[in-house]
Amino acid sequence: MRGALAGAALAVACVASCSTWHRAAGLRFVTEPGGAVVVELGGLDSSTATALASRRSFSEWSDVLSVHVDFDGDGSGATGGSPADALPPMVGDYRVEADAVRFTPRFPLAPGLRYVAVYRPKAAGLEGPRLELAFTTPDISREPTTVVEHVYPSSDTLPENHLRFYVQFSSPMSRGRSYERIRLIDDRGEEVELPFLELDEELWDPGGIRFTLLIDPGRVKRGVRPLEEIGPALEAGRCYELVIDRAWRDARGVELAREHRKRFCVGPPDRESPDPGTWEITAPAAESRTPLLVRFPEPLDHGLLQRMLWVIDADGRAVDGTSTVGDGETSWTFTPAAPWNAGPHELAARTTLEDHAGNSIGRPFEVDVFETVRERVHVTTVTVPFRVASR
């Protein structure tokens, strides 16, 4: 049959060690020498391989071949039926090799979790049955050890139009269903309705340790329907708790060691852009490695401070060194790798650096797109001069 997989059969499930092949109906989970697990759709005839090779985007590929996490562990998915019908596909790269297609997940498969690979030939206009293959990764350890180390902002007072939280864990976490593990509780003990912007592709750092959580901008920005109909997610004069559920699983598939709560109160909204001209710089002495200290009149975004500030020397070169964000995100220090040279220096900042309300150096968060913005910042970097004095 044209386009059919060689040896096509009904879907099967397997639980096996990573040292063996896991094959059924042309689908298999393969462990590579470095330990990474990939999914292979094999046994394709040349016409099928050619037809699949024409697919370019991730959505085109995942319609035909996809991999899903079965958190319930029974093949039923989150809402019944196949997990492929209930959860988004894992993100990764597809490659056609002779008579096979290989899918490499962007993030490693977590130990102790059940995964399901699905092949849907009809989505590509090909003949053949839909195929499914399940695989459970070996369970390394079930000891709960992962905790929430920090939630940023670290301040216990936030503006009413606060935009972003960072949840930092002690170990890499699993991806998917993260929004089910976070709640916002008000000072009446009631859960705030739909406060977060829930994205299909969750916002994680490459190591899977820091999760970025956005307040739904529709609950922040004035003049938009969610704010008018439901009200703000945060209200000035009230206090809240951000609750991180212990049921959130780490990369091993193990729950957190304990629940985490961040309590904070809410002040008036902040609608002004940060002004580098108001930053207070304490310059170090030459021939020392004393840190440069920068103080801000308002808290700035913790994650952006880590990568949008740097130091330039008299020759226009970036100074090598390490930076640290201070408590409350109201200060930043820079320690050079080598002793300071005497002379003029500059503190450089991207104009996309933001405060807690999403106001950037370049523009306030609440710019009305239907009105002419009288003053725009066209540069991508601003600098603040300072001098390293001789001893």
Side-chain angles (χ1 to χ4, degrees):
M1 181 180 293
R2 182 179 182 273
L5 285 173
L10 295 177
V12 301
C14 68
V15 178
S17 83
C18 283
S19 62
T20 59
W21 290 61
H22 319 291
R23 186 181 184 94
L27 284 172
R28 65 180 182 177
F29 285 82
V30 182
T31 302
E32 298 187 319
V37 178
V38 302
V39 176
E40 185 172 281
L41 173 65
L44 303 176
D45 59 35
S46 60
S47 61
T48 299
T50 299
L52 292 176
S54 66
R55 311 187 83 75
R56 293 291 181 265
S57 68
F58 174 77
S59 60
E60 287 180 318
W61 269 114
S62 60
D63 286 344
V64 179
L65 176 64
S66 58
V67 180
H68 306 259
V69 183
D70 182 11
F71 284 99
D72 296 328
D74 58 5
S76 65
T79 58
S82 168
D85 300 323
L87 296 170
M90 294 182 63
V91 178
D93 298 317
Y94 294 87
R95 186 170 71 251
V96 178
E97 297 181 347
D99 66 344
V101 174
R102 289 169 64 85
F103 170 76
T104 303
R106 180 176 299 177
F107 305 105
L109 303 189
L113 288 185
R114 188 176 188 270
Y115 293 86
V116 179
V118 185
Y119 172 55
R120 310 174 188 83
K122 292 182 179 179
L126 302 171
E127 298 180 12
R130 169 186 168 121
L131 307 172
E132 292 193 16
L133 178 67
F135 169 62
T136 299
T137 51
D139 191 359
I140 299 174
S141 170
R142 306 303 295 180
E143 179 75 21
T145 57
T146 303
V147 298
V148 176
E149 287 190 326
H150 303 284
V151 174
Y152 297 106
S154 57
S155 172
D156 56 8
T157 301
L158 303 178
E160 185 179 62
N161 54 345
H162 177 70
L163 186 63
R164 185 184 293 113
F165 291 99
Y166 297 102
V167 183
Q168 185 166 314
F169 298 88
S170 60
S171 302
M173 297 292 291
S174 61
R175 293 163 172 80
R177 303 177 75 173
S178 297
Y179 298 105
E180 298 177 19
R181 308 306 181 200
I182 305 177
R183 294 174 294 144
L184 186 64
I185 308 298
D186 65 21
D187 47 15
R188 300 189 186 99
E190 299 176 354
E191 185 170 348
V192 178
E193 181 183 3
L194 301 174
F196 307 122
L197 181 63
E198 300 187 9
L199 303 171
D200 290 338
E201 185 170 349
E202 299 170 352
L203 300 178
W204 289 94
D205 73 328
I209 288 179
R210 190 184 70 187
F211 177 68
T212 301
L213 178 67
L214 299 174
I215 297 289
D216 187 341
R219 304 288 299 277
V220 173
K221 197 165 186 177
R222 295 172 295 180
V224 295
R225 182 170 295 177
L227 182 61
E228 294 178 348
E229 294 183 352
I230 306 177
L234 305 175
E235 295 183 47
R238 301 186 63 182
C239 296
Y240 298 82
E241 279 190 317
L242 186 70
V243 181
I244 312 299
D245 194 337
R246 184 184 174 186
W248 204 336
R249 298 178 183 271
D250 63 18
R252 300 170 300 153
V254 180
E255 294 183 350
L256 297 177
R258 57 181 175 271
E259 176 187 81
H260 185 90
R261 291 176 176 253
K262 174 185 172 58
R263 189 175 188 277
F264 62 93
C265 295
V266 178
D270 177 6
R271 310 195 194 281
E272 298 295 326
S273 292
D275 179 5
T278 63
W279 296 352
E280 178 186 329
I281 297 180
T282 302
E287 301 178 14
S288 76
R289 295 184 64 243
T290 302
L292 171 75
L293 172 62
V294 184
R295 296 187 184 277
F296 314 112
E298 64 167 336
L300 300 181
D301 182 276
H302 184 276
L304 300 181
L305 276 172
Q306 293 180 310
R307 56 189 177 88
M308 291 192 176
L309 281 181
W310 66 99
V311 176
I312 300 174
D313 65 17
D315 297 323
R317 296 174 298 190
V319 179
D320 187 26
T322 58
S323 63
T324 303
V325 179
D327 291 341
E329 295 75 61
T330 58
S331 67
W332 181 85
T333 58
F334 177 82
T335 303
W340 292 100
N341 293 321
H345 288 69
E346 291 180 320
L347 173 68
R350 295 289 185 192
T351 54
T352 46
L353 178 61
E354 297 177 357
D355 59 21
H356 287 172
N359 304 306
S360 68
I361 295 174
R363 62 187 290 177
F365 179 69
E366 286 209 12
V367 169
D368 191 337
V369 297
F370 298 106
E371 294 181 0
T372 299
V373 180
R374 295 182 180 178
E375 184 176 350
R376 294 183 181 273
V377 179
H378 296 285
V379 296
T380 59
T381 303
V382 294
T383 58
V384 182
F386 67 95
R387 175 172 289 273
V388 175
S390 301
R391 284 182 176 275

